[in-house]
Amino acid sequence: MPEVSPSDAVVEVWRREAPLLIAALTRLTRDVSLAEDLAQDAFVTALEQWPDTGVPANPAAWLMTTAKRRAIDAFRRADTLRRKTEELERTAGEADPMPDLDAHVDHIEDDVLRLMFLCCHPALTPESRAALTLRMVGGLTTTEIARGFLVPDATMGQRISRAKRTLTASGAQLEMPTGADRTARLDDVMAVVYLVFNEGYAATSGDEWVRPDLAAEAIRLARMLAELAPDEPEVHGLQALLELQGSRLSARTDAAGRPVLLDDQDRDRWDALLIRRGLAALGRAEAIATRGVPIGRYVVQAAIAAEHAKATTPSDTDWPRIARMYDVLAQAAPGPVVEVNRAVAHGRAAGPDAGLAVLAALPPDALPDSPLVPSVRGDLLARAGRADEAAAEFAEAARRTRNAGERALLEQRAAAGRLT
């Protein structure tokens, strides 16, 4: 096995530990923007020092100690925050120079969830809440978030900066909201968890088709939400959806990391434990719904994912049932992405022309920068035997995507259509 370089180790630790580190620092500094700056400074220091000193035995604790020392320096310079300086110094004594994160923060497993609720503060706009959470909790770059929202990088950078300033000015604290405040923020938190999972399930840019670390973190957060709000069917629906879709992650790429489409996946590689957990979570959501509690988009999407999970082969998939459920979803949560997926379902249930008819009803400018519409249209055209038209759509989808693996797959499908 090749040796991992110190620089690669820093990147891996950043992807894994950054949300926990930022959450812990937010608790200590009560300033989300300062917390992110301190975390980034600590990782820059690691990039400078680890190539010479080697990767420490406890990288996360090393980073936390480094960040806290930077915080102490900043508070000292500020001079008006002496109390915070003394509090930080008491927890960074010489007797414990490399303490574990648990020694600093009570209930560390809940801190990322608290950070999510903080990022979904009502002082922020809905777009800013999602963007800030993806940046602070999901660890996505500004470019990746901008791609997800279909806006320029500069626009997204300004949005995130304004959100951090707004939070600081509002005096918001890293505490779990209660009562009506928590209920009001729950929908935003669920939406952000889903966005983080989607970036892990199908990365918008870069060389990797999937980012299992992001998907796993989103699943963990969904489980925590289900424990926090056990009587909300949509929370259990979200957990079910992520568990069921997450079960396919290892089968979504081949040994070389190339994308593998659903019909071509080795279903023996699907994670049976995640499937069982997902079906159990869906069962809890449905049981709550029988008491008259309304369900929404996550429960319906989870029920769709369950149909795929229960099919042992592609031909066993109950596409007519899935198409009907997408019709329900289109009423509960209308939007172009739902319509594109509904086109897939109707194309498989009633033939490609039925799917193409659903796509034809979309506005011409729907998802203009996304490869989703042309890639699905290309698949439907290929199934209808219209190879030349399909090739043109796959080529257009390849032009739009910023993910290298997806581009290679789409270019391959375009070439195959031209050769037919």
Side-chain angles (χ1 to χ4, degrees):
M1 180 179 293
E3 183 178 352
V4 177
S5 72
S7 296
D8 290 339
V10 174
V11 173
E12 180 59 31
V13 172
W14 169 263
R15 294 175 68 171
R16 186 179 67 248
E17 302 291 348
L20 287 173
L21 185 61
I22 293 171
L25 291 167
T26 300
R27 176 184 293 280
L28 293 171
T29 64
R30 300 184 183 276
D31 186 329
V32 68
S33 184
L34 176 59
E36 186 182 27
D37 289 343
L38 292 170
Q40 290 175 344
D41 285 348
F43 280 99
V44 170
T45 303
L47 281 169
E48 294 170 346
Q49 295 186 14
W50 289 6
D52 295 328
T53 64
V55 180
N58 191 335
W62 188 99
L63 291 163
M64 184 64 181
T65 300
T66 301
K68 286 187 66 176
R69 288 171 179 164
R70 295 292 179 91
I72 291 170
D73 291 341
F75 290 147
R76 281 174 174 160
R77 287 192 300 269
D79 198 44
T80 59
L81 298 173
R82 294 184 183 278
R83 181 185 58 81
K84 290 185 178 181
T85 300
E86 293 169 358
E87 180 181 344
L88 286 169
E89 287 178 325
R90 282 197 300 272
T91 62
E94 295 181 0
D96 186 16
M98 287 294 176
D100 186 78
L101 282 175
D102 287 338
H104 292 294
V105 184
D106 293 334
H107 311 299
I108 187 65
E109 285 302 311
D110 295 334
D111 265 356
V112 173
L113 191 57
R114 288 188 178 95
L115 181 60
M116 292 182 63
F117 274 92
L118 176 64
C119 291
C120 291
H121 194 275
L124 303 177
T125 65
E127 295 82 4
S128 295
R129 295 171 198 163
L132 186 61
T133 306
L134 288 170
R135 181 74 184 94
M136 306 296 288
V137 181
L140 276 65
T141 66
T142 300
T143 297
E144 289 170 331
I145 302 170
R147 174 68 174 174
F149 282 88
L150 304 177
V151 299
D153 292 1
T155 300
M156 183 53 66
Q158 293 169 359
R159 183 179 299 173
I160 292 171
S161 295
R162 282 197 302 269
K164 289 190 286 188
R165 289 195 299 269
T166 300
L167 273 186
T168 300
S170 72
Q173 303 297 317
L174 187 73
E175 299 296 339
M176 189 68 73
T178 58
D181 187 19
R182 188 180 73 181
T183 300
R185 291 197 223 174
L186 189 58
D187 284 346
D188 291 320
V189 172
M190 287 193 293
V192 167
V193 172
Y194 190 36
L195 283 171
V196 173
F197 177 84
N198 282 341
E199 182 61 29
Y201 189 75
T204 54
S205 62
D207 296 329
E208 299 174 336
W209 171 238
V210 297
R211 296 179 62 179
D213 55 335
L214 283 180
E217 178 66 7
I219 292 171
R220 188 184 74 85
L221 292 170
R223 292 171 183 167
M224 292 171 64
L225 279 176
E227 292 178 2
L228 176 70
D231 296 324
E232 294 286 345
E234 278 293 270
V235 172
H236 295 290
L238 175 65
Q239 181 193 349
L241 174 61
L242 303 198
E243 303 267 16
L244 291 168
Q245 288 190 319
S247 70
R248 309 177 207 155
L249 272 171
S250 63
R252 280 176 57 76
T253 55
D254 62 16
R258 294 183 294 260
V260 179
L261 297 177
L262 181 63
D263 281 356
D264 300 324
Q265 289 173 15
D266 178 0
R267 301 194 176 203
D268 289 338
R269 295 182 61 196
W270 288 6
D271 191 317
L273 176 59
L274 290 183
I275 291 174
R276 288 197 298 272
R277 285 176 170 172
L279 294 176
L282 178 59
R284 289 192 292 273
E286 292 172 339
I288 296 170
T290 62
R291 303 201 297 263
V293 182
I295 63 172
R297 55 180 175 171
Y298 296 117
V299 174
V300 177
Q301 288 181 87
I304 293 170
E307 290 298 320
H308 290 293
K310 290 183 287 189
T312 56
T313 67
S315 60
D316 293 332
T317 306
D318 190 344
W319 283 107
R321 177 173 170 77
I322 290 174
R324 291 194 297 272
M325 286 192 284
Y326 266 116
D327 291 341
V328 173
L329 184 61
Q331 296 298 316
V337 173
V338 171
E339 288 302 305
V340 173
N341 285 309
R342 195 166 75 90
V344 173
H346 279 273
R348 301 299 293 273
D353 287 342
L356 289 168
V358 175
L359 284 185
L362 281 173
D365 59 348
L367 304 173
D369 298 320
S370 169
L372 187 59
V373 173
S375 65
V376 168
R377 185 181 288 116
D379 184 76
L380 291 167
L381 289 168
R383 292 178 184 278
R386 297 158 64 178
D388 289 342
E389 295 172 82
E393 294 293 334
F394 287 134
E396 172 60 19
R399 187 190 65 79
R400 293 187 185 187
T401 186
R402 293 171 62 178
N403 182 278
E406 183 179 35
R407 183 181 303 109
L409 175 65
L410 291 166
E411 289 174 346
Q412 179 182 356
R413 298 195 74 182
R418 285 192 288 266
L419 294 173
T420 301

